[in-house]
Amino acid sequence: MLTKDEIREWDNAYIAGTYARSPLYAESGKGAICTDKEGKEYIDFSSGIGVNSLGFCDSGWVEAVCSQAKKLQHISNLYYTEPQAELAKMLCDRSFAKKIFFANSGAEANEGMIKAARKYSFDKYGAGRHKIITLVNSFHGRTVTTLSATGQQAFHKFFDPFTEGFEFVEAGDEKALEAALSSDDVCGIMLEFIQGEGGVIELSEDYIRYVEDVCHKRDILLLADEVQTGIGRTGSFLCCENYGVVPDIASLAKGLGGGLPIGAVLLGEKCMNTLTAGTHGSTFGGNPVSCAGAMAVLSRIDEDMLSDIRKKGEYIRAELLKVKGVAAVTGKGLMIGILPKKTDSKIAASECLERGLIVLTAKEKIRLLPPLNISYDEINRGLEILKEVLS
Ligand SMILES: *Cc1c(COP(=O)(O)O)cnc(C)c1O
């Protein structure tokens, strides 16, 4: 057993320094409570960045994952497995999707979405109609191509050359979108309905409807990055449902596996047969154990749970708006951004951690992504700490 100091020293010595870690040495967890090496408990308002949809070690989820691990952990996509077929059907039954491609992460799901959009256009219109428009302040992942798709200049350095064929427009600016479309080489518009990493910023309903309309009229695919907003997070199964918008493709990842790595590309009617044998693939994609975890998550996100998510979100919002130090609260359901009046969000997050509450940040906001099944008792315990820190 390593001590805290040894863990930190080994981590610093042997792990690439890509993360600025906070001083939590997580040992175990149950529901929305994480326990560290020394037995200190933390309320978790982060779900491991929206991943642990059912909290830590939910018993049904553990049972599903363990029993699949004992039966068959992997065989590759050269063969058939039951969990993959079953999960794909569940996702199609629950959404606009007609077919699913399984990946392992959000960036990979977005790569699949980008490839499907480009190939759809290639098949129908030939080469050259390959541009994808994304929004300023978006976040789509860390691979070279998804970084290229990410509309933040801060991400466009060090790794040149980036992938061609992306253009950024300001969210809400219909004229800018019109101008970007004038080149007639656009095959898709890719967006987060609520920008997550960018600061928990919702797109306006008018703009979303405008984009949907433009896409339909010109056979441009609407690509919804639902990596953070999907799987019930915003109070509907997919965030696009809040707006009555049906995308052509959507990507899922974070909350899908309940803590196991899995991503999915949801392919709508137009491009359900676009990705054919040999055009895309993944060794780990649709791994049976990850699929079993995802099914355990999906089987729990029913209408009752979605309604609970909306109610809990409204409760948290109302409580936060009573706090003097809070300037604004954004987001939907259990995806919540808090703009503090004075405190820096990073400092506030580290003060919360010291007092036993795990929260995230997104730019100048504190970001909350609690487990979808968090109890009111756990919510209240976390809110007490947040109020202390923000007041
Ligand atoms: C987290 C995130 C990604 C990237 O997901 P990874 O699993 O880290 O590759 C992409 N898009 C959005 C909207 C995200 O929030």
Side-chain angles (χ1 to χ4, degrees), residues 49 51 104-110 138-143 146 150 190-192 194-198 225-229 251-254 262-263 335 367 369:
I49 321 187
V51 167
N104 310 287
S105 67
E108 262 190 64
N110 284 339
S138 56
F139 181 81
H140 297 299
R142 294 277 189 176
T143 61
T146 56
T150 291
M190 175 166 165
L191 48 81
E192 302 153 89
I194 303 174
Q195 294 184 335
E197 307 301 316
D225 181 342
E226 294 255 11
V227 168
Q228 189 161 155
T229 52
S251 55
L252 291 174
K254 288 189 167 83
I262 183 168
M335 177 171 184
R367 177 175 42 150
L369 299 171

PDB file of all heavy atoms in Angstrom, residues 49 51 104-110 138-143 146 150 190-192 194-198 225-229 251-254 262-263 335 367 369, ligand 1:
ATOM      1  N   ILE A  49     -16.315  14.068 -14.018  1.00  0.00           N
ATOM      2  CA  ILE A  49     -16.652  14.854 -15.220  1.00  0.00           C
ATOM      3  C   ILE A  49     -17.814  14.219 -15.997  1.00  0.00           C
ATOM      4  O   ILE A  49     -17.711  13.887 -17.184  1.00  0.00           O
ATOM      5  CB  ILE A  49     -15.434  15.100 -16.142  1.00  0.00           C
ATOM      6  CG1 ILE A  49     -14.145  15.374 -15.341  1.00  0.00           C
ATOM      7  CG2 ILE A  49     -15.731  16.297 -17.075  1.00  0.00           C
ATOM      8  CD1 ILE A  49     -12.942  15.782 -16.188  1.00  0.00           C
ATOM      9  N   VAL A  51     -19.258  11.340 -15.823  1.00  0.00           N
ATOM     10  CA  VAL A  51     -19.088   9.949 -16.246  1.00  0.00           C
ATOM     11  C   VAL A  51     -19.891   8.973 -15.376  1.00  0.00           C
ATOM     12  O   VAL A  51     -20.635   8.133 -15.890  1.00  0.00           O
ATOM     13  CB  VAL A  51     -17.586   9.576 -16.245  1.00  0.00           C
ATOM     14  CG1 VAL A  51     -17.389   8.070 -16.364  1.00  0.00           C
ATOM     15  CG2 VAL A  51     -16.858  10.310 -17.374  1.00  0.00           C
ATOM     16  N   ASN A 104     -14.633   4.529 -28.022  1.00  0.00           N
ATOM     17  CA  ASN A 104     -14.195   4.386 -26.628  1.00  0.00           C
ATOM     18  C   ASN A 104     -14.148   5.683 -25.838  1.00  0.00           C
ATOM     19  O   ASN A 104     -13.848   5.659 -24.649  1.00  0.00           O
ATOM     20  CB  ASN A 104     -12.798   3.776 -26.584  1.00  0.00           C
ATOM     21  CG  ASN A 104     -12.725   2.535 -27.427  1.00  0.00           C
ATOM     22  OD1 ASN A 104     -13.264   1.502 -27.048  1.00  0.00           O
ATOM     23  ND2 ASN A 104     -12.094   2.630 -28.570  1.00  0.00           N
ATOM     24  N   SER A 105     -14.392   6.795 -26.487  1.00  0.00           N
ATOM     25  CA  SER A 105     -14.264   8.087 -25.806  1.00  0.00           C
ATOM     26  C   SER A 105     -15.046   9.134 -26.582  1.00  0.00           C
ATOM     27  O   SER A 105     -15.522   8.861 -27.693  1.00  0.00           O
ATOM     28  CB  SER A 105     -12.791   8.504 -25.762  1.00  0.00           C
ATOM     29  OG  SER A 105     -12.340   8.764 -27.085  1.00  0.00           O
ATOM     30  N   GLY A 106     -15.112  10.320 -26.001  1.00  0.00           N
ATOM     31  CA  GLY A 106     -15.813  11.405 -26.663  1.00  0.00           C
ATOM     32  C   GLY A 106     -15.119  11.853 -27.933  1.00  0.00           C
ATOM     33  O   GLY A 106     -15.753  12.047 -28.983  1.00  0.00           O
ATOM     34  N   ALA A 107     -13.794  12.018 -27.844  1.00  0.00           N
ATOM     35  CA  ALA A 107     -13.054  12.450 -29.029  1.00  0.00           C
ATOM     36  C   ALA A 107     -13.224  11.439 -30.161  1.00  0.00           C
ATOM     37  O   ALA A 107     -13.436  11.821 -31.317  1.00  0.00           O
ATOM     38  CB  ALA A 107     -11.577  12.626 -28.696  1.00  0.00           C
ATOM     39  N   GLU A 108     -13.172  10.176 -29.816  1.00  0.00           N
ATOM     40  CA  GLU A 108     -13.322   9.137 -30.848  1.00  0.00           C
ATOM     41  C   GLU A 108     -14.721   9.108 -31.427  1.00  0.00           C
ATOM     42  O   GLU A 108     -14.902   8.844 -32.624  1.00  0.00           O
ATOM     43  CB  GLU A 108     -13.057   7.770 -30.224  1.00  0.00           C
ATOM     44  CG  GLU A 108     -11.674   7.257 -30.436  1.00  0.00           C
ATOM     45  CD  GLU A 108     -11.588   5.820 -29.992  1.00  0.00           C
ATOM     46  OE1 GLU A 108     -12.258   4.955 -30.590  1.00  0.00           O
ATOM     47  OE2 GLU A 108     -10.864   5.572 -29.023  1.00  0.00           O
ATOM     48  N   ALA A 109     -15.720   9.330 -30.575  1.00  0.00           N
ATOM     49  CA  ALA A 109     -17.095   9.385 -31.089  1.00  0.00           C
ATOM     50  C   ALA A 109     -17.221  10.565 -32.057  1.00  0.00           C
ATOM     51  O   ALA A 109     -17.839  10.453 -33.115  1.00  0.00           O
ATOM     52  CB  ALA A 109     -18.089   9.515 -29.940  1.00  0.00           C
ATOM     53  N   ASN A 110     -16.597  11.693 -31.697  1.00  0.00           N
ATOM     54  CA  ASN A 110     -16.650  12.852 -32.595  1.00  0.00           C
ATOM     55  C   ASN A 110     -15.888  12.598 -33.894  1.00  0.00           C
ATOM     56  O   ASN A 110     -16.310  13.034 -34.960  1.00  0.00           O
ATOM     57  CB  ASN A 110     -16.126  14.099 -31.886  1.00  0.00           C
ATOM     58  CG  ASN A 110     -17.141  14.664 -30.905  1.00  0.00           C
ATOM     59  OD1 ASN A 110     -18.341  14.389 -31.031  1.00  0.00           O
ATOM     60  ND2 ASN A 110     -16.682  15.426 -29.936  1.00  0.00           N
ATOM     61  N   SER A 138     -16.359  26.254 -28.541  1.00  0.00           N
ATOM     62  CA  SER A 138     -16.770  24.860 -28.405  1.00  0.00           C
ATOM     63  C   SER A 138     -15.619  24.015 -27.858  1.00  0.00           C
ATOM     64  O   SER A 138     -14.475  24.472 -27.784  1.00  0.00           O
ATOM     65  CB  SER A 138     -17.199  24.318 -29.771  1.00  0.00           C
ATOM     66  OG  SER A 138     -16.143  24.473 -30.711  1.00  0.00           O
ATOM     67  N   PHE A 139     -15.946  22.793 -27.487  1.00  0.00           N
ATOM     68  CA  PHE A 139     -14.907  21.810 -27.143  1.00  0.00           C
ATOM     69  C   PHE A 139     -15.336  20.461 -27.704  1.00  0.00           C
ATOM     70  O   PHE A 139     -16.417  19.973 -27.390  1.00  0.00           O
ATOM     71  CB  PHE A 139     -14.685  21.702 -25.636  1.00  0.00           C
ATOM     72  CG  PHE A 139     -13.605  20.708 -25.301  1.00  0.00           C
ATOM     73  CD1 PHE A 139     -12.265  21.069 -25.387  1.00  0.00           C
ATOM     74  CD2 PHE A 139     -13.915  19.396 -24.962  1.00  0.00           C
ATOM     75  CE1 PHE A 139     -11.254  20.145 -25.127  1.00  0.00           C
ATOM     76  CE2 PHE A 139     -12.913  18.470 -24.694  1.00  0.00           C
ATOM     77  CZ  PHE A 139     -11.580  18.847 -24.775  1.00  0.00           C
ATOM     78  N   HIS A 140     -14.479  19.863 -28.532  1.00  0.00           N
ATOM     79  CA  HIS A 140     -14.858  18.593 -29.160  1.00  0.00           C
ATOM     80  C   HIS A 140     -13.857  17.472 -28.937  1.00  0.00           C
ATOM     81  O   HIS A 140     -14.061  16.371 -29.441  1.00  0.00           O
ATOM     82  CB  HIS A 140     -15.120  18.805 -30.650  1.00  0.00           C
ATOM     83  CG  HIS A 140     -16.264  19.731 -30.918  1.00  0.00           C
ATOM     84  ND1 HIS A 140     -17.549  19.467 -30.497  1.00  0.00           N
ATOM     85  CD2 HIS A 140     -16.322  20.951 -31.518  1.00  0.00           C
ATOM     86  CE1 HIS A 140     -18.350  20.460 -30.850  1.00  0.00           C
ATOM     87  NE2 HIS A 140     -17.628  21.385 -31.460  1.00  0.00           N
ATOM     88  N   GLY A 141     -12.762  17.719 -28.209  1.00  0.00           N
ATOM     89  CA  GLY A 141     -11.849  16.618 -27.893  1.00  0.00           C
ATOM     90  C   GLY A 141     -10.394  16.976 -28.089  1.00  0.00           C
ATOM     91  O   GLY A 141     -10.052  18.111 -28.445  1.00  0.00           O
ATOM     92  N   ARG A 142      -9.524  15.986 -27.859  1.00  0.00           N
ATOM     93  CA  ARG A 142      -8.082  16.218 -27.772  1.00  0.00           C
ATOM     94  C   ARG A 142      -7.263  15.538 -28.866  1.00  0.00           C
ATOM     95  O   ARG A 142      -6.036  15.627 -28.858  1.00  0.00           O
ATOM     96  CB  ARG A 142      -7.579  15.698 -26.424  1.00  0.00           C
ATOM     97  CG  ARG A 142      -8.122  16.460 -25.233  1.00  0.00           C
ATOM     98  CD  ARG A 142      -7.326  17.681 -24.989  1.00  0.00           C
ATOM     99  NE  ARG A 142      -7.673  18.341 -23.736  1.00  0.00           N
ATOM    100  CZ  ARG A 142      -7.028  19.401 -23.284  1.00  0.00           C
ATOM    101  NH1 ARG A 142      -6.012  19.890 -23.952  1.00  0.00           N
ATOM    102  NH2 ARG A 142      -7.398  19.970 -22.166  1.00  0.00           N
ATOM    103  N   THR A 143      -7.899  14.789 -29.753  1.00  0.00           N
ATOM    104  CA  THR A 143      -7.142  14.249 -30.885  1.00  0.00           C
ATOM    105  C   THR A 143      -6.856  15.401 -31.845  1.00  0.00           C
ATOM    106  O   THR A 143      -7.479  16.466 -31.739  1.00  0.00           O
ATOM    107  CB  THR A 143      -7.945  13.166 -31.627  1.00  0.00           C
ATOM    108  OG1 THR A 143      -9.145  13.757 -32.126  1.00  0.00           O
ATOM    109  CG2 THR A 143      -8.296  11.998 -30.697  1.00  0.00           C
ATOM    110  N   THR A 146     -10.138  16.469 -33.594  1.00  0.00           N
ATOM    111  CA  THR A 146     -11.170  17.084 -32.746  1.00  0.00           C
ATOM    112  C   THR A 146     -10.661  18.386 -32.120  1.00  0.00           C
ATOM    113  O   THR A 146     -11.450  19.285 -31.839  1.00  0.00           O
ATOM    114  CB  THR A 146     -11.701  16.115 -31.663  1.00  0.00           C
ATOM    115  OG1 THR A 146     -10.616  15.617 -30.873  1.00  0.00           O
ATOM    116  CG2 THR A 146     -12.442  14.954 -32.297  1.00  0.00           C
ATOM    117  N   THR A 150     -12.340  22.112 -32.503  1.00  0.00           N
ATOM    118  CA  THR A 150     -12.618  22.894 -31.301  1.00  0.00           C
ATOM    119  C   THR A 150     -12.405  24.387 -31.573  1.00  0.00           C
ATOM    120  O   THR A 150     -11.318  24.784 -32.001  1.00  0.00           O
ATOM    121  CB  THR A 150     -11.713  22.407 -30.139  1.00  0.00           C
ATOM    122  OG1 THR A 150     -12.141  21.091 -29.765  1.00  0.00           O
ATOM    123  CG2 THR A 150     -11.777  23.325 -28.935  1.00  0.00           C
ATOM    124  N   MET A 190     -21.512  21.304 -36.562  1.00  0.00           N
ATOM    125  CA  MET A 190     -21.335  20.508 -35.351  1.00  0.00           C
ATOM    126  C   MET A 190     -21.412  21.421 -34.138  1.00  0.00           C
ATOM    127  O   MET A 190     -20.764  22.464 -34.107  1.00  0.00           O
ATOM    128  CB  MET A 190     -19.959  19.851 -35.445  1.00  0.00           C
ATOM    129  CG  MET A 190     -19.504  19.079 -34.243  1.00  0.00           C
ATOM    130  SD  MET A 190     -18.072  18.095 -34.833  1.00  0.00           S
ATOM    131  CE  MET A 190     -17.377  17.601 -33.293  1.00  0.00           C
ATOM    132  N   LEU A 191     -22.215  21.031 -33.157  1.00  0.00           N
ATOM    133  CA  LEU A 191     -22.347  21.901 -31.993  1.00  0.00           C
ATOM    134  C   LEU A 191     -22.746  21.147 -30.731  1.00  0.00           C
ATOM    135  O   LEU A 191     -23.276  20.045 -30.790  1.00  0.00           O
ATOM    136  CB  LEU A 191     -23.349  23.026 -32.275  1.00  0.00           C
ATOM    137  CG  LEU A 191     -24.691  22.667 -32.890  1.00  0.00           C
ATOM    138  CD1 LEU A 191     -25.666  22.168 -31.846  1.00  0.00           C
ATOM    139  CD2 LEU A 191     -25.272  23.885 -33.593  1.00  0.00           C
ATOM    140  N   GLU A 192     -22.442  21.775 -29.593  1.00  0.00           N
ATOM    141  CA  GLU A 192     -22.948  21.342 -28.292  1.00  0.00           C
ATOM    142  C   GLU A 192     -24.169  22.217 -28.006  1.00  0.00           C
ATOM    143  O   GLU A 192     -24.059  23.439 -28.061  1.00  0.00           O
ATOM    144  CB  GLU A 192     -21.919  21.598 -27.193  1.00  0.00           C
ATOM    145  CG  GLU A 192     -20.560  20.953 -27.365  1.00  0.00           C
ATOM    146  CD  GLU A 192     -19.479  21.775 -26.640  1.00  0.00           C
ATOM    147  OE1 GLU A 192     -19.243  21.525 -25.444  1.00  0.00           O
ATOM    148  OE2 GLU A 192     -18.878  22.669 -27.266  1.00  0.00           O
ATOM    149  N   ILE A 194     -25.475  22.706 -25.176  1.00  0.00           N
ATOM    150  CA  ILE A 194     -24.966  23.493 -24.044  1.00  0.00           C
ATOM    151  C   ILE A 194     -23.458  23.289 -24.030  1.00  0.00           C
ATOM    152  O   ILE A 194     -22.986  22.160 -23.863  1.00  0.00           O
ATOM    153  CB  ILE A 194     -25.560  23.033 -22.695  1.00  0.00           C
ATOM    154  CG1 ILE A 194     -27.086  23.096 -22.720  1.00  0.00           C
ATOM    155  CG2 ILE A 194     -25.004  23.880 -21.546  1.00  0.00           C
ATOM    156  CD1 ILE A 194     -27.756  22.521 -21.475  1.00  0.00           C
ATOM    157  N   GLN A 195     -22.714  24.368 -24.264  1.00  0.00           N
ATOM    158  CA  GLN A 195     -21.258  24.232 -24.260  1.00  0.00           C
ATOM    159  C   GLN A 195     -20.804  23.919 -22.843  1.00  0.00           C
ATOM    160  O   GLN A 195     -21.127  24.642 -21.895  1.00  0.00           O
ATOM    161  CB  GLN A 195     -20.609  25.523 -24.771  1.00  0.00           C
ATOM    162  CG  GLN A 195     -20.941  25.767 -26.239  1.00  0.00           C
ATOM    163  CD  GLN A 195     -20.249  26.989 -26.824  1.00  0.00           C
ATOM    164  OE1 GLN A 195     -19.899  27.917 -26.101  1.00  0.00           O
ATOM    165  NE2 GLN A 195     -20.060  26.973 -28.137  1.00  0.00           N
ATOM    166  N   GLY A 196     -20.082  22.807 -22.701  1.00  0.00           N
ATOM    167  CA  GLY A 196     -19.676  22.351 -21.376  1.00  0.00           C
ATOM    168  C   GLY A 196     -18.372  22.976 -20.922  1.00  0.00           C
ATOM    169  O   GLY A 196     -18.359  23.884 -20.087  1.00  0.00           O
ATOM    170  N   GLU A 197     -17.261  22.498 -21.512  1.00  0.00           N
ATOM    171  CA  GLU A 197     -15.936  23.012 -21.126  1.00  0.00           C
ATOM    172  C   GLU A 197     -15.865  24.515 -21.359  1.00  0.00           C
ATOM    173  O   GLU A 197     -15.123  25.219 -20.672  1.00  0.00           O
ATOM    174  CB  GLU A 197     -14.834  22.312 -21.944  1.00  0.00           C
ATOM    175  CG  GLU A 197     -14.870  20.784 -21.906  1.00  0.00           C
ATOM    176  CD  GLU A 197     -14.741  20.207 -20.518  1.00  0.00           C
ATOM    177  OE1 GLU A 197     -13.890  20.690 -19.754  1.00  0.00           O
ATOM    178  OE2 GLU A 197     -15.509  19.282 -20.187  1.00  0.00           O
ATOM    179  N   GLY A 198     -16.626  25.006 -22.328  1.00  0.00           N
ATOM    180  CA  GLY A 198     -16.610  26.436 -22.662  1.00  0.00           C
ATOM    181  C   GLY A 198     -17.241  27.326 -21.598  1.00  0.00           C
ATOM    182  O   GLY A 198     -17.181  28.544 -21.688  1.00  0.00           O
ATOM    183  N   ASP A 225     -22.860  17.222 -30.681  1.00  0.00           N
ATOM    184  CA  ASP A 225     -21.889  16.664 -29.737  1.00  0.00           C
ATOM    185  C   ASP A 225     -22.585  16.588 -28.380  1.00  0.00           C
ATOM    186  O   ASP A 225     -22.695  17.570 -27.656  1.00  0.00           O
ATOM    187  CB  ASP A 225     -20.648  17.558 -29.666  1.00  0.00           C
ATOM    188  CG  ASP A 225     -19.593  17.005 -28.707  1.00  0.00           C
ATOM    189  OD1 ASP A 225     -19.940  16.146 -27.865  1.00  0.00           O
ATOM    190  OD2 ASP A 225     -18.432  17.439 -28.786  1.00  0.00           O
ATOM    191  N   GLU A 226     -23.094  15.396 -28.077  1.00  0.00           N
ATOM    192  CA  GLU A 226     -23.817  15.169 -26.816  1.00  0.00           C
ATOM    193  C   GLU A 226     -22.945  14.381 -25.836  1.00  0.00           C
ATOM    194  O   GLU A 226     -23.443  13.679 -24.958  1.00  0.00           O
ATOM    195  CB  GLU A 226     -25.124  14.411 -27.100  1.00  0.00           C
ATOM    196  CG  GLU A 226     -26.135  15.208 -27.914  1.00  0.00           C
ATOM    197  CD  GLU A 226     -27.313  15.729 -27.074  1.00  0.00           C
ATOM    198  OE1 GLU A 226     -27.257  15.651 -25.826  1.00  0.00           O
ATOM    199  OE2 GLU A 226     -28.282  16.208 -27.701  1.00  0.00           O
ATOM    200  N   VAL A 227     -21.633  14.504 -26.000  1.00  0.00           N
ATOM    201  CA  VAL A 227     -20.702  13.755 -25.151  1.00  0.00           C
ATOM    202  C   VAL A 227     -20.922  14.102 -23.674  1.00  0.00           C
ATOM    203  O   VAL A 227     -20.899  13.230 -22.808  1.00  0.00           O
ATOM    204  CB  VAL A 227     -19.242  14.022 -25.580  1.00  0.00           C
ATOM    205  CG1 VAL A 227     -18.254  13.498 -24.556  1.00  0.00           C
ATOM    206  CG2 VAL A 227     -18.971  13.372 -26.941  1.00  0.00           C
ATOM    207  N   GLN A 228     -21.150  15.388 -23.396  1.00  0.00           N
ATOM    208  CA  GLN A 228     -21.365  15.803 -22.009  1.00  0.00           C
ATOM    209  C   GLN A 228     -22.853  15.929 -21.676  1.00  0.00           C
ATOM    210  O   GLN A 228     -23.267  15.636 -20.557  1.00  0.00           O
ATOM    211  CB  GLN A 228     -20.653  17.145 -21.762  1.00  0.00           C
ATOM    212  CG  GLN A 228     -20.619  17.560 -20.319  1.00  0.00           C
ATOM    213  CD  GLN A 228     -19.544  18.607 -20.007  1.00  0.00           C
ATOM    214  OE1 GLN A 228     -19.675  19.352 -19.064  1.00  0.00           O
ATOM    215  NE2 GLN A 228     -18.488  18.664 -20.769  1.00  0.00           N
ATOM    216  N   THR A 229     -23.657  16.344 -22.647  1.00  0.00           N
ATOM    217  CA  THR A 229     -25.068  16.655 -22.381  1.00  0.00           C
ATOM    218  C   THR A 229     -25.996  15.443 -22.485  1.00  0.00           C
ATOM    219  O   THR A 229     -27.137  15.510 -22.032  1.00  0.00           O
ATOM    220  CB  THR A 229     -25.579  17.716 -23.380  1.00  0.00           C
ATOM    221  OG1 THR A 229     -25.273  17.255 -24.702  1.00  0.00           O
ATOM    222  CG2 THR A 229     -24.919  19.066 -23.159  1.00  0.00           C
ATOM    223  N   SER A 251     -23.035  12.357 -30.982  1.00  0.00           N
ATOM    224  CA  SER A 251     -21.978  11.581 -30.335  1.00  0.00           C
ATOM    225  C   SER A 251     -22.265  11.512 -28.843  1.00  0.00           C
ATOM    226  O   SER A 251     -22.763  12.463 -28.242  1.00  0.00           O
ATOM    227  CB  SER A 251     -20.622  12.243 -30.569  1.00  0.00           C
ATOM    228  OG  SER A 251     -20.646  13.595 -30.147  1.00  0.00           O
ATOM    229  N   LEU A 252     -21.974  10.356 -28.269  1.00  0.00           N
ATOM    230  CA  LEU A 252     -22.145  10.142 -26.830  1.00  0.00           C
ATOM    231  C   LEU A 252     -20.850   9.599 -26.264  1.00  0.00           C
ATOM    232  O   LEU A 252     -20.079   8.962 -26.980  1.00  0.00           O
ATOM    233  CB  LEU A 252     -23.242   9.102 -26.568  1.00  0.00           C
ATOM    234  CG  LEU A 252     -24.686   9.471 -26.886  1.00  0.00           C
ATOM    235  CD1 LEU A 252     -25.572   8.229 -26.688  1.00  0.00           C
ATOM    236  CD2 LEU A 252     -25.161  10.603 -25.998  1.00  0.00           C
ATOM    237  N   ALA A 253     -20.609   9.826 -25.000  1.00  0.00           N
ATOM    238  CA  ALA A 253     -19.486   9.146 -24.339  1.00  0.00           C
ATOM    239  C   ALA A 253     -19.630   9.267 -22.827  1.00  0.00           C
ATOM    240  O   ALA A 253     -20.201   8.379 -22.185  1.00  0.00           O
ATOM    241  CB  ALA A 253     -18.130   9.663 -24.812  1.00  0.00           C
ATOM    242  N   LYS A 254     -19.160  10.378 -22.271  1.00  0.00           N
ATOM    243  CA  LYS A 254     -18.991  10.516 -20.815  1.00  0.00           C
ATOM    244  C   LYS A 254     -19.931   9.655 -19.952  1.00  0.00           C
ATOM    245  O   LYS A 254     -19.488   8.719 -19.314  1.00  0.00           O
ATOM    246  CB  LYS A 254     -19.110  11.983 -20.411  1.00  0.00           C
ATOM    247  CG  LYS A 254     -17.905  12.811 -20.845  1.00  0.00           C
ATOM    248  CD  LYS A 254     -17.920  14.198 -20.255  1.00  0.00           C
ATOM    249  CE  LYS A 254     -16.606  14.920 -20.417  1.00  0.00           C
ATOM    250  NZ  LYS A 254     -16.398  15.583 -21.701  1.00  0.00           N
ATOM    251  N   ILE A 262     -16.499   4.167 -22.994  1.00  0.00           N
ATOM    252  CA  ILE A 262     -17.288   3.801 -24.181  1.00  0.00           C
ATOM    253  C   ILE A 262     -17.802   5.090 -24.818  1.00  0.00           C
ATOM    254  O   ILE A 262     -18.144   6.039 -24.110  1.00  0.00           O
ATOM    255  CB  ILE A 262     -18.466   2.850 -23.830  1.00  0.00           C
ATOM    256  CG1 ILE A 262     -19.218   2.420 -25.094  1.00  0.00           C
ATOM    257  CG2 ILE A 262     -19.420   3.480 -22.804  1.00  0.00           C
ATOM    258  CD1 ILE A 262     -20.207   1.279 -24.882  1.00  0.00           C
ATOM    259  N   GLY A 263     -17.799   5.119 -26.123  1.00  0.00           N
ATOM    260  CA  GLY A 263     -18.385   6.229 -26.854  1.00  0.00           C
ATOM    261  C   GLY A 263     -19.315   5.649 -27.902  1.00  0.00           C
ATOM    262  O   GLY A 263     -19.230   4.461 -28.229  1.00  0.00           O
ATOM    263  N   MET A 335     -26.688  19.661 -15.151  1.00  0.00           N
ATOM    264  CA  MET A 335     -25.495  20.274 -15.745  1.00  0.00           C
ATOM    265  C   MET A 335     -25.597  21.762 -15.412  1.00  0.00           C
ATOM    266  O   MET A 335     -26.416  22.483 -16.000  1.00  0.00           O
ATOM    267  CB  MET A 335     -25.494  20.054 -17.257  1.00  0.00           C
ATOM    268  CG  MET A 335     -24.340  20.720 -17.990  1.00  0.00           C
ATOM    269  SD  MET A 335     -24.333  20.149 -19.709  1.00  0.00           S
ATOM    270  CE  MET A 335     -22.846  20.979 -20.292  1.00  0.00           C
ATOM    271  N   ARG A 367     -18.542  24.458 -12.130  1.00  0.00           N
ATOM    272  CA  ARG A 367     -19.438  23.576 -12.892  1.00  0.00           C
ATOM    273  C   ARG A 367     -19.818  22.373 -12.042  1.00  0.00           C
ATOM    274  O   ARG A 367     -18.953  21.738 -11.449  1.00  0.00           O
ATOM    275  CB  ARG A 367     -18.747  23.125 -14.183  1.00  0.00           C
ATOM    276  CG  ARG A 367     -19.574  22.156 -15.015  1.00  0.00           C
ATOM    277  CD  ARG A 367     -18.909  21.836 -16.346  1.00  0.00           C
ATOM    278  NE  ARG A 367     -17.475  21.621 -16.242  1.00  0.00           N
ATOM    279  CZ  ARG A 367     -16.774  20.819 -17.035  1.00  0.00           C
ATOM    280  NH1 ARG A 367     -17.383  20.177 -18.012  1.00  0.00           N
ATOM    281  NH2 ARG A 367     -15.479  20.676 -16.886  1.00  0.00           N
ATOM    282  N   LEU A 369     -21.697  18.653 -12.077  1.00  0.00           N
ATOM    283  CA  LEU A 369     -22.248  17.523 -12.837  1.00  0.00           C
ATOM    284  C   LEU A 369     -22.438  16.372 -11.845  1.00  0.00           C
ATOM    285  O   LEU A 369     -21.757  15.354 -11.932  1.00  0.00           O
ATOM    286  CB  LEU A 369     -21.279  17.086 -13.948  1.00  0.00           C
ATOM    287  CG  LEU A 369     -20.909  18.078 -15.054  1.00  0.00           C
ATOM    288  CD1 LEU A 369     -19.767  17.536 -15.918  1.00  0.00           C
ATOM    289  CD2 LEU A 369     -22.119  18.351 -15.949  1.00  0.00           C
TER     290      LEU A 369
HETATM  291  C1  LIG B   1     -15.393  15.673 -22.757  1.00  0.00           C
HETATM  292  C2  LIG B   1     -15.888  16.096 -24.080  1.00  0.00           C
HETATM  293  C3  LIG B   1     -15.307  15.606 -25.266  1.00  0.00           C
HETATM  294  C4  LIG B   1     -14.092  14.714 -25.252  1.00  0.00           C
HETATM  295  O1  LIG B   1     -14.328  13.493 -24.626  1.00  0.00           O
HETATM  296  P1  LIG B   1     -13.095  12.510 -24.266  1.00  0.00           P
HETATM  297  O2  LIG B   1     -13.773  11.288 -23.752  1.00  0.00           O
HETATM  298  O3  LIG B   1     -12.282  13.214 -23.240  1.00  0.00           O
HETATM  299  O4  LIG B   1     -12.356  12.277 -25.515  1.00  0.00           O
HETATM  300  C5  LIG B   1     -15.869  15.977 -26.472  1.00  0.00           C
HETATM  301  N1  LIG B   1     -16.943  16.789 -26.519  1.00  0.00           N
HETATM  302  C6  LIG B   1     -17.518  17.287 -25.404  1.00  0.00           C
HETATM  303  C7  LIG B   1     -18.720  18.167 -25.527  1.00  0.00           C
HETATM  304  C8  LIG B   1     -17.006  16.962 -24.159  1.00  0.00           C
HETATM  305  O5  LIG B   1     -17.563  17.478 -23.053  1.00  0.00           O
END
